[in-house]
Amino acid sequence: MRPQGVGGGISVGELDLDGLDGDVLSLTPAPGGPPVGPGEVYVLVRLRGRPVGTVLGQVRQGDDVAEALATEARKQLTGFVPEERLAPAPRPPSASVIVATRERAGQLARALDSLLDQDHPDYEILVVDNNPATDQTRELVEGRYAALGVRYVVEPVPGLAAAHNRGVAAAHGEILAFTDDDVIADRRWLSCLAAPFADDPRLGCATGLILPARLTTPAQILLESHGGFTKGFAPRHFDPRRPPADEPLFPFTAGRFGSGANMAFRAGVLRSVGGFDPATGTGTPARGGDDLYAFARVVAAGHRLSYTPEALVWHHHRETWQDLENQAYGYGAGLTAYLTAIIVRRPALLPALLARVPRGLAHALAISAHRDAGEQSVPGEHGSQSYPWPRSLSRLERRGMLYGPLGYLRARRRVRGHRLPWETGR
């Protein structure tokens, strides 16, 4: 099924320039993707390797593809002045990369190959097999990757948060980085994500940039048109002592901080706030909200968060219309499930949340609203073409929001008596 207004696929690539007015250094496809050719093209623009923006352009037959996209980049990014790059930390702290997975060995292999190629000097990789139905993941890790240092762990309790907590218990790094089995990590991802912790002792969490690896189906294009996972190209810092003026719902709009496919925590901080709520996340009746819960708990405990766009992963969006419907419902459910979890586990936050209810409802309705063509660009903020966000998906998101608290309470009953792995010593 092709939603109305969404045309054919969009090529995805990376364009590196020697400055906005400089020469083209390279044009490459997104990792693992086909060559970039004529047609509609979405590119990540880098300046000497540094991600600075995205551009959507139309390349005609016979054009020099790289030069055509460079021209479009200079036009769409006019006036952009990159912030001065800070000197990198001499050595980022040791890190553990935790990848939770279930029955997706093919995608997992692709992700692990990119994670093994990181330039971070001191890290480990843990694969957490969540409630496995087969031995495929174990056989993959132990057969192909164990000799390369990848560790295999099993978590029998279903749910992404429970799997992440198992990884937290098994990890040895000072920094705990989380990503998904459907991403390809940029080679500098982990070092860029871990470096801010060396500079700021109050930093509890860092998140990074998530871009689409493919835009070949209507579902993938529509997801990106609705915002996708991208949080922009400007570094941001969130401090509970100085709430951001442009975030009136802070810290309850935790999704503005980042997403679970690209996040890291100081290990001691994450353990001190109780890790992830095992009644949240994909694989539970709550459907999601595990990352949002962790972000909000870290802020509520007085720690800073940072968004670091140089820490980049490429995400493989789900491809089918049914996948998109499931995601729309799950996003709505996860949002209100996470809010329920925060209040259940931290009742002292209830007055602050109630004070923000009117604006919160307006925000929830806005993010799930139907958008006509022309109201939302795809992909990214520099897109030149627009696609409507269907009313059917808006309704699914709002139905999910209504269901979220019930889903969380159902999930909570299922994990009653469950103790954190680092408390039990398992």
Side-chain angles (χ1 to χ4, degrees), residues 211-238:
L211 293 178
R214 303 286 185 276
L215 291 170
T216 55
T217 73
Q220 291 174 327
I221 293 171
L222 275 175
L223 176 61
E224 198 63 24
S225 78
H226 196 45
F229 301 98
T230 304
K231 307 301 177 186
F233 289 84
R236 294 204 66 185
H237 309 285
F238 303 91

Side-chain angles (χ1 to χ4, degrees), residues 85-106:
R85 215 180 224 174
L86 297 176
R91 182 182 177 90
S94 65
S96 298
V97 180
I98 298 167
V99 185
T101 189
R102 187 175 192 274
E103 308 303 335
R104 300 207 296 186

Side-chain angles (χ1 to χ4, degrees), residues 279-289 330 333-335 337-338 403-404 407-411:
T280 60
T282 304
T284 72
R287 304 289 295 267
L335 173 63
Y338 129 72
Y403 164 80
Y408 174 75
L409 295 175
R410 285 176 174 170

Side-chain angles (χ1 to χ4, degrees), residues 13-338:
E14 301 182 70
L15 177 70
D16 197 7
L17 301 176
D18 188 20
L20 268 185
D21 295 323
D23 294 335
V24 174
L25 299 178
S26 65
L27 172 65
T28 58
V36 178
E40 197 168 15
V41 182
Y42 167 68
V43 289
L44 166 67
V45 180
R46 297 179 184 261
L47 299 185
R48 294 176 294 280
R50 182 185 181 186
V52 297
T54 57
V55 164
L56 184 68
Q58 189 75 34
V59 179
R60 296 172 300 182
Q61 288 286 348
D63 284 352
D64 181 306
V65 177
E67 287 299 333
L69 291 171
T71 299
E72 197 64 35
R74 295 176 187 117
K75 183 192 311 179
Q76 294 187 31
L77 297 175
T78 297
F80 170 79
V81 178
E83 295 182 12
E84 185 177 349
R85 215 180 224 174
L86 297 176
R91 182 182 177 90
S94 65
S96 298
V97 180
I98 298 167
V99 185
T101 189
R102 187 175 192 274
E103 308 303 335
R104 300 207 296 186
Q107 293 188 72
L108 175 63
R110 182 178 60 199
L112 290 177
D113 289 341
S114 72
L115 294 173
L116 285 165
D117 193 40
Q118 295 296 297
D119 68 355
H120 191 289
D122 182 13
Y123 72 103
E124 63 174 354
I125 302 172
L126 291 84
V127 172
V128 184
D129 199 0
N130 186 219
N131 187 33
T134 71
D135 291 330
Q136 290 182 1
T137 300
R138 179 184 60 78
E139 290 171 353
L140 172 73
V141 175
E142 294 182 351
R144 188 191 303 182
Y145 294 103
L148 300 173
V150 178
R151 295 165 56 200
Y152 174 82
V153 184
V154 176
E155 173 51 61
V157 176
L160 186 56
H164 280 167
N165 283 340
R166 174 62 55 194
V168 172
H172 301 138
E174 300 170 65
I175 305 305
L176 307 181
F178 298 84
T179 192
D180 292 347
D181 59 9
D182 55 2
V183 309
I184 296 178
D186 184 76
R187 190 168 185 270
R188 298 187 63 245
W189 167 69
L190 185 58
S191 58
C192 290
L193 195 60
F197 292 94
D199 299 325
D200 184 357
R202 282 193 55 222
L203 187 67
C205 174
T207 62
L209 177 64
I210 304 173
L211 293 178
R214 303 286 185 276
L215 291 170
T216 55
T217 73
Q220 291 174 327
I221 293 171
L222 275 175
L223 176 61
E224 198 63 24
S225 78
H226 196 45
F229 301 98
T230 304
K231 307 301 177 186
F233 289 84
R236 294 204 66 185
H237 309 285
F238 303 91
D239 190 335
R241 296 179 184 177
R242 292 182 291 275
D246 60 343
E247 296 283 349
L249 304 179
F250 180 87
F252 296 108
T253 49
R256 299 291 290 273
F257 303 148
S259 300
N262 191 353
M263 62 183 181
F265 299 85
R266 199 178 297 276
V269 168
L270 185 58
R271 292 183 180 121
S272 72
V273 300
F276 299 87
D277 186 332
T280 60
T282 304
T284 72
R287 304 289 295 267
D290 51 303
D291 50 353
L292 307 183
Y293 174 85
F295 297 153
R297 285 291 283 115
V298 166
V299 172
H303 303 280
R304 295 189 182 107
L305 282 78
S306 285
Y307 170 69
T308 305
E310 289 193 57
L312 164 66
V313 300
W314 297 87
H315 183 264
H316 284 78
H317 296 349
R318 302 296 178 84
E319 297 181 358
T320 71
W321 181 252
Q322 182 63 59
D323 289 333
L324 188 58
E325 289 183 326
N326 291 341
Q327 281 185 296
Y329 186 85
Y331 289 159
L335 173 63
T336 51
Y338 129 72

